[in-house]
């Protein structure tokens, strides 16, 4: 066995060596080939578009500045270490300045918004009257967030109000800033960021960011009621509007009074201020501040005021409402939505009265006559259909929240009234509905309110009244940020009887709509302790007689 083994080893040695050499050669060749392929693949990746390489990287490991570089700035130094400096996605082209598209042969009128939602509506009403009297096309700012909500957003009035109907009824031409000054998403974001940056700053319009200044456009603004003077602040809503639309106001003093013009005893003593519409119309009846060369370049004829909310009329009787305000109606879809919500809330009540839904406010017009409202998040509301029936109701506007601020010069009880005052007013409203309107004597009650008081909410439930909960219905998701307040306004305006809060502007406007649209009486409880006691005694007496 030993000899056999030794013999086999001796005979196989040369063959094993040759096989070893062959295998080594093959391995070396294979390694060289694979290395070449890897090198080629590496070079291919280095020469390929970095945008392709981005798909193979975990972007969450990159600093946040690499996800969203400053708008208009390609900060290559920050991203070169990640081989991303050539990526077009992370190096956007510089933003173009915003542009306003206006017809140089058309006379326009616009203004800055003022205050909260209802004050902004009143400013729109006054501005519409001014545009009507000056025969100018109204360029309407949107509803804008104010100092109360800080949501830093805006929505078009046409989403809630029927502007084509306004034009049909009055002949006033109406455009919105979104139509004539379209902004890209990047430009819009710059405006929102600028507004957020300046939210808590105090003083005149100021503090422009570099991005905002690079795309903003100057606009000449006539000072009204002192708003816009260098030493005075402008309203929070006005500032947000200018920031959002990338407009830089250049303030100028108002035109001097015309020779022989009427003079008025101004409440506001700021020199040169305009506080009465009659004076304003006299001064700006033929306004055109363009130079010949500007006209040749196509500059539009624009009258832009720093304020219309403070502009009043020397005439009594609500001239703004009579001429234009009563013709600013709600969108039919808004009314349809409000009617649906009301029916859902009170349909379970006992002995309710159900009538055909023949409200003219819900009659659809053709597509050519109206715009389809679109919510803030892009959700269309055109699929909302008016219910065939409606349930008569009393609407109570229980204004709480910041209303106490309007009571600085009077007793708080006269502004934020106790619930008992509203209970008494509802009883009178039910009696009025029965005797004057021919409706059931015990109409259900819908409460629109901003109260957060648990006592108020408990009292509403105990009374069997219905509090409209917009969170439950997702009103904001359908109609946007200002949707709940606008739906409340529609419910108040179209109630069979309104019980309002006297200190609330929203209630007063709803009362005007009730009288102007339906010729109905509204009830506004007032603080009068002696009278209230007498009414309560009379109410108790009537109830005892019925029993």
């Amino acid at each position: 066995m030993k000899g056999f083994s030794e013999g086999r080893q001796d005979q196989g040695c040369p063959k094993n060596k040759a096989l070893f050499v062959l295998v080594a050669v093959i391995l070396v060749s294979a390694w060289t080939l694979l290395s070449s392929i890897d090198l080629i693949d590496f070079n291919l990746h280095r020469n390929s578009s970095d945008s392709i390489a981005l798909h193979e990287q975990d972007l969450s490991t990159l600093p946040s500045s690499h996800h969203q570089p400053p708008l208009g700035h390609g900060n290559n130094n920050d991203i070169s270490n990640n081989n991303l400096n050539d990526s077009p996605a992370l190096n956007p082209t510089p933003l173009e300045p915003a542009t306003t598209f206006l017809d140089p042969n058309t006379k326009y009128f616009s203004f800055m918004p003022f205050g909260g939602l209802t004050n902004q509506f009143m400013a729109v009403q006054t501005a519409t009257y001014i545009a009507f009297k000056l025969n100018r096309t109204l360029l309407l700012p949107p509803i804008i967030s104010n100092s109360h909500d800080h949501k830093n957003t805006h929505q078009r009035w046409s989403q809630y109000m029927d502007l084509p109907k306004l034009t049909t009824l009055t002949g006033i031409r109406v455009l919105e800033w979104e139509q004539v000054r379209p902004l890209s998403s990047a430009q819009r974001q710059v405006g929102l960021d600028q507004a957020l940056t300046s939210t808590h700053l105090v003083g005149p319009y100021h503090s422009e960011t570099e991005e905002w200044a690079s795309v903003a456009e100057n606009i000449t603004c006539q000072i009204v009621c002192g708003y816009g003077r260098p030493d005075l602040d402008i309203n929070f809503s006005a500032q947000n509007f200018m920031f959002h639309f990338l407009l830089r106001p250049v303030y100028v003093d108002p035109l001097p009074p015309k020779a022989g013009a009427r003079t008025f005893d101004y409440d506001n003593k700021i020199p040169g201020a305009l506080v009465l519409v009659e004076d304003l119309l006299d001064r700006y009846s033929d306004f055109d501040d363009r130079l010949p060369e500007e006209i040749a370049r196509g500059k539009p004829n624009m009258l832009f005021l720093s304020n219309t909310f403070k502009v009043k009329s020397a005439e009594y009787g609500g001239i703004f409402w009579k001429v234009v305000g009563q013709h600013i109606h709600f969108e039919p879809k808004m009314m349809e939505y409000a009617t649906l919500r009301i029916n859902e809330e009170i349909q379970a009540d006992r002995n309710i009265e159900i009538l055909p839904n023949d409200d003219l406010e819900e009659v659809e017009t053709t597509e050519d006559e109206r715009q389809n409202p679109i919510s803030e998040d892009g959700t269309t509301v055109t699929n909302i259909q008016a219910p065939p029936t409606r349930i008569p109701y009393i609407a109570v506007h229980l204004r709480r929240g910041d209303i106490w601020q309007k009571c600085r010069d009077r007793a708080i009880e006269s502004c934020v009234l106790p619930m008992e005052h509203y209970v008494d007013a509802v009883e009178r409203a039910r009696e009025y509905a029965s005797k004057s309107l021919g409706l059931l004597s015990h109409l259900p009650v819908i409460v629109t309110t901003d109260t957060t008081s648990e006592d108020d909410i408990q009292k509403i439930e105990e009374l069997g009244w219905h509090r409209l909960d917009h969170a439950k219905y997702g009103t904001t998701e359908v109609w946007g940020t200002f949707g709940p307040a606008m739906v409340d306004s529609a419910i108040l305006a179209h109630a069979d009887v309104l019980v309002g809060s006297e200190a609330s502007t929203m209630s007063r406007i709803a009362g005007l709509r009730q009288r102007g649209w339906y010729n109905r009486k509204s009830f506004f409880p007032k603080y009068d302790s002696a009278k209230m006691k007498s009414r309560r005694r009379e109410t108790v007496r009537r109830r005892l007689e019925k029993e």
Side-chain angles (χ1 to χ4, degrees), residues 206-246:
H206 62 299
S207 185
E208 297 178 4
T209 65
E210 181 180 349
E211 289 83 3
W212 191 88
S214 68
V215 293
E217 178 183 3
N218 291 348
I219 183 170
T220 301
C221 183
Q222 307 286 323
I223 295 173
V224 178
C225 303
Y227 284 92
R229 291 189 176 277
D231 57 335
L232 296 176
D233 195 3
I234 64 173
N235 182 258
F236 186 96
S237 301
Q239 180 171 274
N240 268 355
F241 163 63
M242 304 303 283
F243 283 149
H244 283 194
F245 282 85
L246 313 180

Side-chain angles (χ1 to χ4, degrees), residues 83-137:
N83 293 325
L84 304 178
N85 54 302
D86 294 327
S87 171
L90 297 181
N91 287 275
T93 56
L95 288 176
E96 294 294 329
T99 303
T100 304
F101 299 95
L102 296 174
D103 181 3
N105 299 314
T106 299
K107 297 190 300 180
Y108 296 96
F109 171 67
S110 193
F111 60 99
M112 290 186 182
F114 182 95
L117 176 59
T118 307
N119 286 351
Q120 289 183 50
F121 173 82
M122 294 176 67
V124 168
Q125 179 179 265
T126 303
T128 306
Y129 176 85
I130 294 171
F132 174 76
K133 287 294 185 178
L134 294 179
N135 192 27
R136 288 178 173 266
T137 295

Side-chain angles (χ1 to χ4, degrees), residues 394-396 419-433 441-445 447 463 465 497 499 523 525:
I394 294 171
V396 173
M419 285 291 293
E420 288 74 15
H421 290 62
Y422 290 92
V423 173
D424 178 77
V426 166
E427 291 299 320
R428 289 184 285 129
R430 282 175 170 155
E431 184 177 358
Y432 166 74
S441 60
H442 198 76
L443 291 183
V445 176
V447 180
L463 291 167
W465 298 353
V497 191
V499 174
F523 295 85

Side-chain angles (χ1 to χ4, degrees), residues 47-59:
N47 295 329
S48 66
S49 170
D50 287 325
S51 62
I52 298 175
L54 280 175
H55 294 287
E56 301 174 359
Q57 297 187 43
D58 180 7
L59 292 182

Side-chain angles (χ1 to χ4, degrees), residues 262-304:
R262 292 178 294 172
T263 59
F264 301 97
D265 182 17
Y266 294 124
D267 294 329
N268 191 328
K269 301 301 181 181
I270 298 175
L274 299 170
V275 295
L276 291 177
V277 70
E278 291 81 7
D279 184 8
L280 186 149
L281 296 175
D282 282 343
R283 298 193 197 193
Y284 291 98
S285 59
D286 53 359
F287 175 78
D288 189 347
D289 64 344
R290 298 175 298 174
L291 300 174
E293 56 269 24
E294 292 175 328
I295 297 176
R297 291 199 306 266
K299 181 180 179 180
N301 183 348
M302 168 69 78
L303 173 59
F304 189 86

